[in-house]
Amino acid sequence: MNRDSDQPDRPPVEHGDNRKVTKPKTWATGRPAVVSSMKHILKAAGPVRGNLALAKLNQSTGFDCPSCAWPDPDDERSAFEFCENGAKAVASEVMSRTIGREFFSEFSVRALAARSDYWHDQQGRLAEPMVLREGAEHYEPIGWEEAFRMIGEVLKALPSPDDGIFYTSGRASNEAAFLYQLFVRHFGTNNLPDCSNMCHESSGAALNAAIGIGKGTVTLEDFYEADVIICAGQNPGTNHPRMLAALETAVKNGAEIVAVNPLKEAGLLAFAHPQKISGMLGKTTPLASQYLQVRINGDMALFRGVAKSLLEKGAVDEDFIAEHTSGLDEYRSLVEATEWKDIEEMSGIGRSEIERLAAKVAAGKRKLITCWAMGLTQHHNAVDTISEVSNVHLLVGAVGRPGAGLCPVRGHSNVQGDRTMGIFEKMPPAFHDRLDEVFQFQSPREHGYDVVQSILAMHREPGKVLLALGGNFAQATPDTDFTGEALRRCALTVHISTKLNRSHLVPGREALILPCLGRSEYDLQDGFPQFVTCENSMGIVQKSEGRLEPASENLKSEVAIIAGIAEATIGNSATVDWNVLSSDYDRIRELIEKTIPGFEDFNARARMEGGFYLPNGAKKREWKTSTGKARSACHPLDMSRVVTQLSAVGARLACGLAHAPNVSAANNTSAYL
């Protein structure tokens, strides 16, 4: 690397015979995952800091993994309760190198923008607040109080609170997220876009309409009792490897796993458990007994075929349908009218294979779990597809019984918790009513911007302010070039971050980088240690307490940063003293308890080993829908949408800004998760 030049060193590009082509892998994890994990942690943090971090990762006396939202076991946990992804994420966070004023003095914004995202990550942890003044080419240091004052002055000078946009990453804690949305709504807007807008928004929309809650309805124990587990549009081996251990246990208990994915993924073929001698020696457990390589966006047609086969064979739960559902008669008629030739053409799967899957679903006690991720949620018709998944479950009563249920697998480690805390641009009236009652102010009711609407607003109305609590907004959003142009039109961009990322390098007229503590680092406020909480994919809230020395003495917690910005912008009120709240997180949890159902006795239950489950009516077959019953949705199959998706491959992701009207339409049907 030539640190004296603005021109980045680039590795040589390999051509021709230098390229290597290997056979596809047929199993995942095992010894290679362990070696890779240790290599990353030792390189980034060294043996002492690195191993201490891993020893506390996902432990009841440690901190929650920043990688994904897969749950920890309810009973005894392994001493190595992490996967390769988690080890890499922690290695990045606990890196011993730091960057501050000397680094940013050496590298201009333009020079940094020429480097790769990987290079940015490898430079080290952010060590102090930095500001990019108007017209400047380099970030320079700024004091915390001056930074807060600068943000407050710019926000207060906006023509309308709706000119502020407040983004949230799924890694923010419950306490930080609650304080953040409270500040934003006190400020006067519901512009609270978050990463959910780009991943499982369609899951929330479909499930809320169908079963009255936008969350999954299963636990790890349900996986161990299931007869059939369908994994559709997800790749656990890459995205949430700890799920593979649950699938292995399910298979050994007699479950059949069915994989639905256009490509064969090694992680769904077989698994070598890295915590077992057999796995370290390369012995694998076969996972998927049936692998259905659907056409891109052919999943809805596949599930329609399963429903058609179940109805034709009379293999449905009529008692459950009569007692617990509405809309099934209309759905039956729709399914009967759907031709098998259309199902086969749209799904790309033959009738015999679909009927084979339906026979598995119908067999035994109908203990069916369907899991999905962004392979289902990122299409034009994602809500319709997930509704079709729900319809199949309702036909056989596979909701609210042991070993059965719906399982959207979340990505970010607290994305579900953030939504529970109110990070959503369209919270329901009941949430606002509670805010008004507890905090004695008028919470704004007009819906705010989601991610796509935020980008479009920044583009057409220069001068807005973006404040991002974590994440990498410029890279995470659909059209990165269009998003970059939007960010540059802002009066001010503010990023609360642990590491340098691309979003810092597409600044507004002025920009701030505010460095925060990581999950792994201990958090002292007024000399007293604090902890935060997170909610995983299965609705379990548990505490997370950092155990490592902070990377820099000049870091603040997310909670302290939000409180500092709030005090500088709107000041204290009779019900909210931002400094008091940030000095003792128990006080924040007391306010959460008063505001959000399900958090009764929050402080005591947060300290329980393993945490606690939030209420989930669908698990008890209590349906909080408009009809008081689980609802079937009737959506026609649309071949044109399948063709559109196929033609779009290699051109633009399905969630691109060219599709903004469709994304917004889906989001507008969402409800409180």
Side-chain angles (χ1 to χ4, degrees):
M1 176 183 71
N2 181 7
R3 293 179 70 111
D4 299 321
S5 170
D6 278 0
Q7 296 300 315
D9 296 333
R10 299 186 183 277
V13 178
E14 295 182 347
H15 296 286
D17 294 338
N18 291 329
R19 295 177 179 173
K20 294 182 179 180
V21 178
T22 61
K23 292 182 179 180
K25 293 182 178 180
T26 57
W27 56 276
T29 65
R31 184 171 58 188
V34 175
V35 172
S36 177
S37 299
M38 296 311 300
K39 180 178 70 174
H40 280 90
I41 200 75
L42 293 175
K43 178 182 177 182
V48 177
R49 185 175 172 88
N51 285 320
L52 177 59
L54 292 181
K56 291 298 182 181
L57 182 57
N58 291 324
Q59 300 301 317
S60 57
T61 58
F63 60 96
D64 200 49
C65 181
S67 177
C68 80
W70 190 252
D72 305 312
D74 286 338
D75 50 14
E76 186 176 347
R77 301 183 188 184
S78 163
F80 305 97
E81 197 64 57
F82 58 86
C83 66
E84 182 179 359
N85 283 0
K88 289 178 180 178
V90 169
S92 176
E93 181 176 296
V94 304
M95 190 176 288
S96 54
R97 291 181 63 184
T98 61
I99 55 175
R101 60 189 68 195
E102 295 85 3
F103 176 87
F104 287 101
S105 176
E106 180 178 355
F107 290 99
S108 68
V109 172
R110 177 175 295 184
L112 290 171
R115 301 282 179 171
S116 70
D117 294 348
Y118 175 77
W119 186 89
H120 294 154
D121 180 80
Q122 292 302 298
Q123 299 317 295
R125 286 284 300 279
L126 294 163
E128 59 182 325
M130 305 299 296
V131 61
L132 185 69
R133 307 285 185 183
E134 184 172 1
E137 295 182 359
H138 290 258
Y139 277 96
E140 61 187 63
I142 185 174
W144 279 107
E145 293 307 313
E146 184 184 352
F148 294 153
R149 185 166 57 252
M150 177 180 175
I151 297 168
E153 289 174 354
V154 174
L155 286 175
K156 286 186 287 188
L158 291 173
S160 165
D162 291 327
D163 288 325
I165 296 169
F166 302 87
Y167 177 74
T168 313
S169 159
R171 289 189 181 182
S173 69
N174 287 331
E175 290 73 12
F178 183 81
L179 210 64
Y180 193 51
Q181 66 81 29
L182 183 62
F183 154 59
V184 171
R185 293 189 165 104
H186 264 287
F187 180 63
T189 185
N190 282 309
N191 288 346
L192 283 159
D194 74 324
C195 54
S196 279
N197 294 151
M198 297 174 286
C199 54
H200 273 287
E201 197 75 84
S202 49
S203 297
L207 294 181
N208 264 296
I211 60 174
I213 187 169
K215 302 179 181 181
T217 67
V218 298
T219 67
L220 278 178
E221 290 300 320
D222 289 318
F223 275 82
Y224 306 151
E225 295 184 41
D227 292 330
V228 179
I229 301 171
I230 300 175
C231 295
Q234 66 166 147
N235 179 13
T238 298
N239 298 322
H240 22 263
R242 285 199 298 156
M243 181 179 180
L244 296 178
L247 296 179
E248 179 189 55
T249 301
V251 167
K252 289 183 176 180
N253 288 349
E256 288 200 67
I257 295 174
V258 179
V260 179
N261 203 314
L263 295 175
K264 281 199 172 182
E265 302 286 359
L268 285 171
L269 295 175
F271 172 58
H273 202 307
Q275 295 181 24
K276 297 179 180 179
I277 295 176
S278 58
M280 289 293 287
L281 295 175
K283 184 177 180 180
T284 65
T285 300
L287 295 182
S289 62
Q290 186 178 11
Y291 210 118
L292 301 176
Q293 293 182 256
V294 294
R295 296 180 66 177
I296 294 175
N297 198 23
D299 310 88
M300 182 178 178
L302 171 66
F303 281 94
R304 177 66 57 83
V306 172
K308 189 173 182 68
S309 180
L310 290 170
L311 286 167
E312 287 179 346
K313 292 177 171 54
V316 298
D317 188 336
E318 296 291 0
D319 291 338
F320 175 87
I321 291 171
E323 182 179 354
H324 291 286
T325 72
S326 63
L328 253 299
D329 289 340
E330 294 86 349
Y331 180 66
R332 286 180 201 254
S333 299
L334 177 66
V335 173
E336 289 169 359
T338 306
E339 299 289 340
W340 271 110
K341 62 180 180 62
D342 293 331
I343 291 171
E344 290 181 298
E345 182 180 3
M346 292 188 216
S347 68
I349 305 297
R351 177 175 176 176
S352 62
E353 281 296 291
I354 297 174
E355 290 183 329
R356 179 183 166 202
L357 170 55
K360 292 178 181 179
V361 171
K365 299 178 181 178
R366 300 189 181 95
K367 293 185 176 182
L368 167 69
I369 293 175
T370 301
C371 315
W372 67 91
M374 287 189 283
L376 262 61
T377 68
Q378 295 293 286
H379 296 290
H380 275 291
N381 55 331
V383 173
D384 296 359
T385 298
I386 296 162
S387 295
E388 199 70 25
V389 173
S390 175
N391 288 342
V392 169
H393 277 254
L394 297 183
L395 283 176
V396 295
V399 182
R401 65 156 57 121
L406 298 152
C407 183
V409 183
R410 311 285 177 174
H412 279 310
S413 57
N414 196 43
V415 63
Q416 188 159 294
D418 287 352
R419 185 58 61 87
T420 300
M421 291 296 107
I423 300 294
F424 187 36
E425 70 278 359
K426 294 183 282 287
M427 290 298 286
F431 182 86
H432 291 283
D433 292 342
R434 287 300 298 161
L435 284 182
D436 293 354
E437 183 177 345
V438 173
F439 297 101
Q440 299 299 302
F441 79 109
Q442 185 63 45
S443 179
R445 265 43 176 196
E446 184 176 351
H447 289 171
Y449 297 140
D450 62 20
V451 166
V452 169
Q453 292 164 341
S454 295
I455 296 168
L456 295 174
M458 287 187 282
H459 231 284
R460 66 175 176 259
E461 301 167 18
K464 294 191 181 296
V465 172
L466 173 75
L467 203 166
L469 175 58
N472 187 350
F473 190 84
Q475 290 292 82
T477 48
D479 187 320
T480 54
D481 292 336
F482 190 90
T483 300
E485 294 173 17
L487 291 173
R488 292 186 181 96
R489 292 171 183 253
C490 289
L492 175 67
T493 51
V494 182
H495 296 279
I496 300 170
S497 307
T498 57
K499 305 285 288 289
L500 178 68
N501 67 51
R502 183 67 54 183
S503 295
H504 307 149
L505 310 177
V506 282
R509 190 162 63 243
E510 292 187 295
L512 284 163
I513 305 173
L514 305 181
C516 65
L517 295 170
R519 289 254 183 98
S520 59
E521 294 165 322
Y522 64 72
D523 180 359
L524 291 179
Q525 301 296 332
D526 287 351
F528 293 95
Q530 306 294 322
F531 70 87
V532 295
T533 59
C534 301
E535 179 187 347
N536 62 38
S537 275
M538 295 181 183
I540 305 168
V541 176
Q542 58 188 6
K543 80 173 194 175
S544 175
E545 188 171 9
R547 296 293 185 176
L548 275 63
E549 183 83 21
S552 165
E553 63 182 13
N554 209 12
L555 305 181
K556 286 185 179 291
S557 70
E558 291 176 324
V559 167
I561 294 172
I562 295 163
I565 294 171
E567 185 178 34
T569 306
I570 61 176
N572 296 322
S573 69
T575 56
V576 179
D577 185 316
W578 302 103
N579 283 329
V580 168
L581 292 178
S582 66
S583 68
D584 184 353
Y585 300 174
D586 276 358
R587 291 171 174 158
I588 301 175
R589 286 185 281 272
E590 288 171 0
L591 295 176
I592 292 172
E593 179 180 336
K594 292 179 180 179
T595 308
I596 302 175
F599 285 86
E600 296 77 13
D601 204 15
F602 189 8
N603 274 309
R605 291 199 292 162
R607 289 171 165 83
M608 293 168 52
E609 185 171 341
F612 62 94
Y613 282 86
L614 289 176
N616 189 314
K619 289 182 180 179
K620 300 178 181 178
R621 296 187 169 179
E622 297 170 356
W623 319 106
K624 296 182 180 180
T625 66
S626 59
T627 63
K629 292 188 174 184
R631 299 169 57 204
S632 290
C634 296
H635 301 295
L637 296 181
D638 186 348
M639 187 62 194
S640 66
R641 286 181 171 176
V642 178
V643 173
T644 298
Q645 294 301 323
L646 287 170
S647 66
V649 175
R652 175 167 292 198
L653 291 176
C655 61
L657 281 170
H659 305 146
N662 303 81
V663 175
S664 296
N667 290 350
N668 285 337
T669 66
S670 300
Y672 178 29
L673 294 184

